[in-house]
Amino acid sequence: MANQSRRKFMRNSVLGLAALPLGAGILSKTAFAQELPRLDPSSSTAQALNYVEVASDASDHPAYEEGEVCDNCMFWVADKEGCQLFPQNSVEPKGWCQSWTAQA
């Protein structure tokens, strides 16, 4: 009888451990966007790519075309409200930078 209890305990432990990454991933996706600090447009990295929080503010930039915004760029990371070019920060979804590239 002790062997059956031990087996049951081991089986439940293994199943529980296997489910941990899945549960943690689901819970952390929404929280992760809130943990990333918003990119400061006056930072050197933002200025190097002419990042603005409101895309129309870049209308005088030669690379800007109307309709280009962060959330329709190939570098956009939706679940983090982020950008692959600024991995330590979240960005404004309706922002823009000179590296904007259409999604494939």
Side-chain angles (χ1 to χ4, degrees):
M1 187 127 185
N3 266 349
Q4 288 180 353
S5 293
R6 188 175 304 143
R7 283 186 201 142
K8 189 174 183 179
F9 172 77
M10 292 301 289
R11 185 185 68 226
N12 289 341
S13 296
V14 169
L15 289 174
L17 287 173
L20 275 177
L22 177 63
I26 291 170
L27 292 174
S28 66
K29 281 188 178 186
T30 51
F32 193 68
Q34 296 166 351
E35 291 176 19
L36 288 176
R38 186 67 85 190
L39 178 62
D40 180 357
S42 64
S43 73
S44 58
T45 51
Q47 288 191 349
L49 293 177
N50 294 299
Y51 170 77
V52 292
E53 291 184 317
V54 178
S56 61
D57 290 349
S59 60
D60 60 341
H61 192 281
Y64 175 77
E65 290 185 26
E66 191 172 334
E68 297 177 351
V69 291
C70 292
D71 69 1
N72 67 14
C73 175
M74 72 175 283
F75 298 115
W76 174 251
V77 182
D79 63 337
K80 297 179 185 176
E81 252 191 28
C83 175
Q84 296 172 26
L85 304 176
F86 306 107
Q88 303 302 316
N89 299 97
S90 63
V91 295
E92 184 59 42
K94 299 303 175 193
W96 179 89
C97 84
Q98 71 185 27
S99 294
W100 184 92
T101 305
Q103 291 176 344

